[in-house]
Amino acid sequence: MADSALSGVGVLDLSQGVSGGYCTKLLADLGARVIKVEPPSVGDCTRRAGPFLNDIPDLEASAPFLYLNTGKQSITLDLKSPTGQRILLELVKGTDVLVENFKPGVMEKLGLGYSVLEQVNPGLVMASISCFGQSGPYRDYEGCELVAYAMSGYMYLTGDEDREPLKAGGSQSGYQAGLAAAMAVLAALTRKDFTGTGQYLDVSTIEALAGTFDGVSFYTMMERSGIMPRRAGTRLITREPQAPYPSRLLPCKDGWVHVHWSPSFPEGLALLTGNPGLAAAEVMAAMMGHADEIDQMLVDWLKDHSREEVQSLAQEIRVPFTMVHSIAEVLADPQNEAQGFFVEIDHPVAGRLRYPSPPFRVPLSPWRPARAPLLGEHNLEIYCHRLGHSMEDLTRLRQLNVI
Amino acid sequence: MAGEGCQSFPLSHVRVIDLTNVIAGPVATRVLGQLGAQVIKVEQPWGRAIGRVAMHGQQPGHARPYNAIASFNEVNRAKRSVAINLAHENGKGLFYKLVAVSDVLVENYSPRVMGNLGITYAALRKVRPDLVMVSMPAMGASGPWANHICFGPGTDALGGLSDVTGYQGGPPHKPGNFYADHNSAFHVATAVMAALRQRHRTGQGQHIQVVLREATMAVIGEFFLGYQLTGHPPQRMGSHHPAMVPHNVYRCKGDDAWAVIAVASEEEWQCFCKAIGSPPWCCEERFGTFLERWRHQEELDRLIQGWTEQRTPHEVMEVLQGHGVKAGAVLKAPEILENPHWRERGFVDRTEHPEAGSYKHPGLPWKSSRSPANLGQRAPLYAEHREWVLGELLGVGDEEAVQLRAAATTPAEPVEP
């Protein structure tokens, strides 16, 4: 097999849901060998999340599971049973990385805390992803996507000014936590290359999300000017009248477009719309202070133009407008087509679907598209061929619901 | 810098040239700096350089305003700075000298600009054969939209994130500010570390592409599969959830004060009812089962808000969490800075900047048991490290250095074009 960035790196993924799933998906995309350890019979909770093929619930045809687990292997194992715990320790011996996202303290209760695992495998890199982190007063609070979005500070900044705060679509808390964990694991593996030692990584979802907006600008704005940064619809968040025009979504003839002003082409909006008001001296001197007027002048022009027209007319003169695409349109757009971003992968239950490629193109570590595993698909390979259990053991372990 | 043995920070053996602007690129190289890499920001010679002037958080009336822009000083922490005119032959020569002693180069110009400057991976490899280079085009290195100008928020629109974000029944929306930029930045940091690891093993460098829009699409990947599996487009659902009721944000006591509540199971519903004092409506038929609650979600949300409105967000959170119910205050920036949880975890970083005063920043979102947090690393002043680059780092001869110091090539202060 060709070399890849993470050739030879073994990952045990005990996590469920988006955060751990995305972390180990990225590691698998980069060539790591990821074994997903799922609870017997039911599997990872994203198998039950849907949407499903033809809207019929099926553990093997759930969109988030199929997406988040490409290129991994799956075994089933009951970590609550002493037999399961013993088997896990066997697996830990042969792995480089372990990722889990139980509530803090659960791994210790299972007898699988880092201090135990480190004795079995001294070079182990272990990443624990939790909503609030493994320390601090909120450590034992119940978390989820929505709670993380709220407590990261991001929700207060998302939504319309005169309405309630809004959660972003999908699972952005989960994705950012997974991405942070992937960075943490790679940094720890890099360090291990030099020192030979592993380490324990405590990844906090609220901290991951809090790092995705301009924290300091807001904090500084607040502390120095006394102005509280606040959500601003689809506009960029700023309160200073002299700030540049805050880009935003505006309606056009057949949908919505994202309008943006570029400092490298200040007269662009006026040129695009033919409205000199958009380059008037008093407007340019304090664009944020005139944002509502600018919006109105843009809307007057946009209402006569389709999204396609807006994007191509604007981009032709290097004004950075883009259209709002639906999910269906993104799947079919000419740029994704040309880039080959969506790649067809077959799956015995879900069938042939077009999957997003990894979000990085690493030429010496080319992506090998491979579907998500069926529940327990690799039990035979891992338990018998790798750990040396007999076929009879495999049957007994299944009968006892250990695997 | 390779070859250093035992190291405290994971990337202290790595030197990075940062040829990026605005948010996405600078955040990517900042993460590498926070992990111990020596990051040298190569800035444009003119004062209109986008990140130095265009963003918010300016201090009007400042003697050197380009050194006091809060957002620049946030995303460029843990870096050094030198200004080089890459369009000038001497400048380009100096840049190649820098690349020759570096491990990583990250750039986020449009493909057109890099082409015009003649700075290609093939050319850079001649001076640094094992260079790891990252380009961050908005749309891709090729394709019909390759030269479109687009910033992070534009990829929310064009990548589908806006389509799936929004109030129920409302128009498309977006996460506040620069989500897509930060998201792509973290993917860049991930890819760089992977490529460095591969280089460590094989001796080979490579040219990585992280496309801004593709990174946005990657964090909503399930929607693309969901659409193909079901044939129907996803609906914007505000802060609701397809399988949890109640699951929303509720007004609380105080100015613009809110808390979120999420109930995932029958058991949690019982805990929730108990936590709010089991009002009679909890036992009503219309809220008797999950499916009933789903059907009467609007009425349920209204009744819950009647309870939350009597309490502050923190009271709501503490009462409900005390009963094992998922709940959280919608925190505002000052609450994050002063909150005992964040303080105990040492998440908030502080820096002292000689011209802009003190700043508070979010730290890295994880704690490593054997690597200390690399805190307190401020952003550089414009061209602050020019003499260090010319002298200590590159050992440029006196005569040549005089030429290079000439404003057009490597100025100490921004020049007007």
Side-chain angles (χ1 to χ4, degrees), chain A residues 3-5 9 22 51-52 54-55 63 67 118 132-138 141-143 146 150-160 163-167 169-170 172 175-176 179 183-184 186-187 190-191 193-194 198-202 204 207-208 211-212 214 216-220 222-224 230-231 233-234 236-237 240 244 249 256 258 260 263 311 315 318 320 322-328 330 333 335-336 339 341 353-355 359-364, chain B residues 4 7 10 13 48 50 54 56-59 70-71 74 112 139-145 147-149 151 153-154 157-158 163-165 167 171-174 176-179 182-183 186-187 190 193-194 197-198 201 205-210 213-214 217-230 232 238-239 247 249 256 258 260 317-318 321 324 326 328-334 336 339 341-342 344-345 347 356 358-360 365-371:
Chain A
D3 191 71
S4 57
V9 173
Y22 192 57
F52 302 99
N54 300 326
D55 292 312
Y67 173 62
E118 193 186 21
F132 304 99
Q134 306 288 322
S135 62
Y138 298 154
Y141 272 13
E142 298 289 335
L146 178 66
M151 293 189 66
S152 69
Y154 213 156
M155 192 162 185
Y156 189 71
L157 301 175
T158 302
D160 291 344
R163 282 196 67 170
E164 73 276 16
L166 176 69
K167 188 184 87 67
Q172 302 316 317
Y175 276 102
Q176 290 309 316
L179 185 49
M183 288 192 285
L186 279 158
T190 304
R191 188 177 176 279
D193 283 341
F194 289 90
Q199 57 183 322
Y200 179 71
L201 306 163
D202 163 11
S204 156
E207 290 170 13
T212 60
D214 279 2
V216 74
S217 313
F218 296 137
Y219 303 154
T220 313
M222 178 195 78
E223 289 193 328
R224 294 191 183 155
R230 207 166 168 279
R231 58 197 174 278
T234 57
L236 294 180
I237 298 158
E240 299 153 306
L249 300 176
W256 290 76
H258 183 257
H260 205 126
Q311 179 166 309
Q315 293 286 349
R318 313 207 61 68
T322 49
M323 54 189 148
V324 174
H325 254 355
S326 70
I327 291 295
V330 175
D333 80 41
Q335 180 65 15
N336 278 327
Q339 287 276 47
F341 181 67
L353 299 169
R354 295 166 66 226
Y355 289 67
F360 27 61
R361 295 157 185 269
V362 186
L364 296 182
Chain B
E4 285 175 20
Q7 47 182 22
H13 61 297
R48 289 192 59 86
I50 190 165
H56 50 259
Q58 304 182 44
Q59 289 184 34
S71 59
E74 155 72 8
R112 195 180 55 105
M139 300 284 173
S142 60
W145 299 347
N147 286 316
H148 278 20
I149 309 175
F151 300 96
L158 207 43
D163 184 45
V164 300
T165 299
Y167 296 102
H173 217 291
K174 68 182 284 299
N177 262 29
F178 299 107
Y179 180 74
H182 288 81
N183 176 58
F186 301 141
H187 284 97
T190 303
M193 286 190 277
R197 207 168 173 275
Q198 193 166 17
R201 217 179 47 250
Q206 54 189 316
H207 184 193
I208 297 165
Q209 302 270 340
V210 175
R213 184 169 79 124
E214 292 180 353
M217 294 187 283
V219 293
I220 51 169
E222 69 274 22
F223 287 99
F224 299 111
L225 297 188
Y227 174 68
Q228 294 173 74
L229 286 169
T230 64
H232 41 79
S239 299
H247 185 282
V249 59
D256 199 22
W258 305 86
V260 296
M317 173 172 78
E318 280 155 25
Q321 287 282 0
K326 300 177 183 74
V330 176
L331 293 182
K332 304 171 185 178
I336 289 171
N339 191 296
H341 180 80
W342 301 72
E344 187 177 319
R345 289 188 46 85
F347 175 64
S358 63
Y359 285 120
K360 291 171 184 161
W366 70 88
K367 311 258 167 281
S368 309
S369 61
R370 293 194 175 97
S371 297

Side-chain angles (χ1 to χ4, degrees), chain A residues 245 261 266-287 290-298 300:
Chain A
Y245 173 69
W261 174 81
E267 64 279 15
L269 301 184
L271 195 68
L272 176 67
T273 60
N275 185 344
L278 283 163
E282 73 269 20
V283 170
M284 301 307 287
M287 293 188 94
H290 293 85
D292 291 340
E293 293 158 54
I294 297 174
D295 286 352
Q296 194 50 57
M297 287 188 270
L298 288 173
D300 287 343

Side-chain angles (χ1 to χ4, degrees), chain A residues 36-56:
Chain A
K36 204 172 163 61
V37 181
E38 302 191 65
S41 308
V42 291
D44 182 340
C45 61
T46 58
R47 289 185 181 274
R48 301 185 296 280
F52 302 99
L53 176 63
N54 300 326
D55 292 312
I56 300 165

Side-chain angles (χ1 to χ4, degrees), chain A residues 61-268:
Chain A
S62 167
F65 184 85
L66 292 169
Y67 173 62
L68 290 164
N69 296 288
T70 52
K72 303 180 190 174
Q73 297 184 306
S74 164
I75 59 173
T76 48
L77 189 63
D78 178 15
L79 298 175
K80 289 192 215 99
S81 79
T83 310
Q85 292 157 6
R86 188 71 62 83
I87 292 173
L88 189 84
L89 292 178
E90 289 297 310
L91 286 165
V92 167
K93 275 181 201 163
T95 196
D96 300 282
V97 178
L98 183 143
V99 177
E100 63 93 6
N101 65 355
F102 292 112
K103 275 194 70 179
V106 168
M107 286 295 277
E108 285 77 9
K109 260 183 235 154
L110 295 171
L112 300 170
Y114 185 64
S115 56
V116 174
L117 301 184
E118 193 186 21
Q119 287 187 358
V120 174
N121 178 351
L124 181 69
V125 170
M126 173 168 167
S128 293
I129 308 169
S130 59
C131 189
F132 304 99
Q134 306 288 322
S135 62
Y138 298 154
R139 177 191 123 113
D140 296 318
Y141 272 13
E142 298 289 335
C144 66
E145 174 68 26
L146 178 66
V147 167
Y149 203 75
M151 293 189 66
S152 69
Y154 213 156
M155 192 162 185
Y156 189 71
L157 301 175
T158 302
D160 291 344
E161 215 156 348
D162 55 356
R163 282 196 67 170
E164 73 276 16
L166 176 69
K167 188 184 87 67
S171 302
Q172 302 316 317
S173 312
Y175 276 102
Q176 290 309 316
L179 185 49
M183 288 192 285
V185 164
L186 279 158
L189 285 173
T190 304
R191 188 177 176 279
K192 186 181 165 185
D193 283 341
F194 289 90
T195 63
T197 51
Q199 57 183 322
Y200 179 71
L201 306 163
D202 163 11
V203 184
S204 156
T205 305
I206 55 171
E207 290 170 13
L209 206 57
T212 60
F213 53 92
D214 279 2
V216 74
S217 313
F218 296 137
Y219 303 154
T220 313
M221 206 191 296
M222 178 195 78
E223 289 193 328
R224 294 191 183 155
S225 64
I227 300 170
M228 171 76 78
R230 207 166 168 279
R231 58 197 174 278
T234 57
R235 280 180 183 164
L236 294 180
I237 298 158
T238 175
R239 286 284 181 282
E240 299 153 306
Q242 77 278 13
Y245 173 69
S247 77
R248 67 171 302 180
L249 300 176
L250 285 176
C252 67
K253 196 170 155 188
D254 65 344
W256 290 76
V257 289
H258 183 257
V259 300
H260 205 126
W261 174 81
S262 167
S264 50
F265 187 20
E267 64 279 15

